[in-house]
């Protein structure tokens, strides 16, 4: 188990010594399940290049403008709903109008941005959030075996959804470009289908979790939100918010041969757990690690991973956070906590289940 920044980054970078593909240490993993998430270079290289190049070809400015309008519409609708509740306040014990940021803002914004970028029909919000939640909990099956059955069913439901995207007419976006260039890149179709599934759900989950963590951080540090009115701080500020409270607690690799980390011997086949959230608070890498330093530079945080398995959704994860910050700055009234936030009980993903907030003064 690693917590130091330099150790975590080196393990994530060195795919030759620390594998994601467990077939390299003799485990039996079916070929038809392989994706960008499970393959290591050089087997992964063409596939990753295909998706990265297609992602970079998208119109990020247009996507940003569309997401900004949705955020504003969400805020307006929530504000109107809060106003309608005012008449009932005297009948309420708390006397407050509130809403859950995660369900009302983080989930729909994350789903819209992800669907638009990949160029697929946006799934129905409620059922997809249930699928995503089950898949996130399935990642902790080593701690909670009870998550396996529900998670596996969610995977089947999601695979059926992905299959439907391949059957309908192409829309502009990443998936269209990937399919156009797949033959030239010599990438098998099952790699594309599996990677589409991984990319969509990982990107939604990453943006969803980050949107909640960032909102809570800004609620707890209102001076930081005010400072972000300075456009010169916006880009570095987004990176710092992700470093401060990112979406991933950790990930694992398996040693391909005998090695040492520090004075600890690692045998072939042993799992090495990199705790990226801890690495992002390593004072040797990040001076004043427990403070928000909005102009921190350099800021090579591990919030979206590192190396060949770094999150494909890094670019639009940053985009979504930036748009949420702008939305908060332009909101009709300051956002305030309206209750106690509730963390999702997951070990791999760091997210909120409930973030009760209000625009009511």
């Amino acid at each position: 188990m690693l917590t130091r920044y330099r150790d975590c980054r080196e393990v994530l970078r060195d795919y030759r010594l620390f594998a994601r593909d467990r077939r390299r240490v003799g485990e039996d993993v079916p070929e038809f399940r392989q994706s960008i998430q499970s393959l290591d270079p050089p087997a992964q290289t063409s596939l990753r290049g295909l998706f990265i190049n297609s992602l970079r070809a998208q119109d990020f400015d247009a996507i940003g403008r569309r997401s900004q309008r949705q955020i504003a519409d969400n805020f307006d609708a929530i504000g109107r709903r809060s106003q309608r509740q005012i008449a009932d306040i005297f009948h309420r014990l708390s006397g407050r109008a509130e809403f859950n940021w995660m369900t009302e803002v983080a989930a729909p914004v994350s789903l819209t941005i992800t669907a638009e970028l990949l160029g697929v029909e946006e799934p129905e919000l409620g059922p997809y959030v249930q699928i995503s939640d089950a898949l996130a909990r399935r990642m902790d099956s080593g701690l909670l075996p009870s998550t396996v059955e529900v998670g596996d069913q969610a995977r089947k439901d999601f695979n059926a959804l992905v299959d439907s995207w391949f059957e309908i007419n192409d829309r502009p976006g990443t998936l269209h470009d990937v399919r156009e260039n797949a033959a030239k890149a010599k990438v098998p179709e099952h790699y594309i289908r599996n990677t589409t599934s991984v990319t969509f759900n990982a990107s939604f989950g990453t943006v969803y979790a980050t949107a909640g963590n960032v909102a809570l951080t800004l609620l707890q540090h209102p001076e930081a939100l005010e400072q972000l009115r300075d456009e010169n701080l916006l880009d570095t500020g987004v990176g710092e918010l992700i470093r401060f409270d990112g979406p991933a607690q950790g990930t694992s690799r398996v040693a391909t041969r005998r090695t040492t980390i520090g004075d600890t011997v690692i045998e072939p086949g042993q799992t090495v757990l990199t705790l990226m959230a801890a690495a992002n608070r390593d004072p040797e890498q990040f001076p004043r690690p427990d403070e928000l330093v909005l102009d921190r530079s350099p800021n090579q945080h591990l919030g979206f991973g590192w190396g060949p398995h770094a999150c494909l959704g890094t670019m639009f994860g940053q985009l979504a956070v930036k748009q949420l910050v702008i939305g908060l700055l332009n909101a009709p009234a300051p956002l305030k906590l309206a209750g106690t936030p509730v963390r999702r009980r997951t070990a791999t993903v760091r997210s909120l289940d409930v973030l009760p907030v209000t625009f009511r003064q």
Side-chain angles (χ1 to χ4, degrees), residues 101-347:
W101 171 272
M102 301 308 295
T103 57
E104 299 285 355
V105 178
V109 169
S110 302
L111 193 59
T112 295
I113 288 177
T114 301
E116 287 193 359
L117 188 59
L118 265 70
V120 299
E121 182 178 357
E122 185 172 331
E124 187 179 349
L125 181 62
Y128 182 73
V129 169
Q130 292 181 345
I131 287 174
S132 181
D133 180 73
L135 293 176
R137 296 179 190 277
R138 176 67 172 81
M139 288 190 282
D140 296 340
S141 60
L143 297 172
L144 291 172
S146 60
T147 63
V148 171
E149 184 177 353
V150 176
D152 287 348
Q153 182 58 53
R155 172 58 61 192
K156 292 179 182 178
D157 295 340
F158 186 44
N159 286 344
L161 177 63
V162 172
D163 287 342
S164 74
W165 294 340
F166 281 79
E167 294 167 3
I168 61 176
N169 293 330
D170 283 345
R171 298 180 175 211
T174 299
L175 184 56
H176 176 272
D177 291 352
V178 164
R179 297 178 72 184
E180 286 269 308
N181 295 295
K184 183 167 56 178
K186 298 181 179 179
V187 174
E189 180 165 320
H190 68 277
Y191 280 11
I192 295 175
R193 286 179 182 257
N194 294 345
T195 300
T196 299
S197 172
V198 166
T199 301
F200 190 96
N201 191 61
S203 298
F204 169 83
T206 296
V207 176
Y208 173 81
T210 305
N213 295 344
V214 164
L216 180 58
T217 297
L218 292 174
L219 287 167
Q220 294 170 333
H221 300 81
E223 74 288 350
L225 180 60
E226 192 60 31
Q227 291 171 25
L228 288 171
R229 292 189 184 279
D230 181 352
E231 292 185 0
N232 294 323
L233 285 178
L234 199 51
D235 289 336
T236 57
V238 165
E240 176 68 352
L241 286 165
I242 295 168
R243 177 202 71 85
F244 189 80
D245 194 356
Q249 298 275 50
T251 188
S252 64
R253 299 290 186 269
V254 59
T256 59
R257 65 177 187 269
R258 195 171 194 266
T259 187
T260 59
I261 301 177
D263 57 0
T264 300
V265 176
I266 312 295
E267 299 291 348
Q270 286 190 324
T271 297
V272 177
L273 179 64
T274 59
L275 296 181
M276 299 179 294
N280 283 341
R281 296 293 185 99
D282 184 344
E284 291 187 8
Q285 179 68 20
F286 303 103
R288 298 154 55 201
D290 296 327
E291 297 179 30
L292 269 177
V293 183
L294 296 178
D295 60 352
R296 189 184 296 277
S297 182
N299 189 354
Q300 295 181 320
H301 63 78
L302 305 181
F304 294 131
W306 196 269
H309 289 285
C311 179
L312 278 175
T314 296
M315 292 178 288
F316 56 103
Q318 293 168 332
L319 167 74
V321 172
K322 185 175 182 178
Q323 296 304 323
L324 286 168
V325 169
I326 292 172
L328 286 173
L329 289 171
N330 295 332
L335 192 70
K336 294 184 177 180
L337 272 175
T340 302
V342 178
R343 286 278 176 193
R344 177 182 285 178
R345 294 178 61 83
T346 48

Side-chain angles (χ1 to χ4, degrees), residues 15-34:
Y15 62 87
R16 294 180 180 86
L17 183 53
F18 300 102
R20 188 66 178 261
D21 187 347
R22 290 181 172 266
R23 295 178 301 178
R24 293 173 58 195
V25 293
E27 292 192 21
D28 183 19
V29 182
E31 165 64 19
F32 71 87
R33 292 183 180 174
Q34 298 305 313

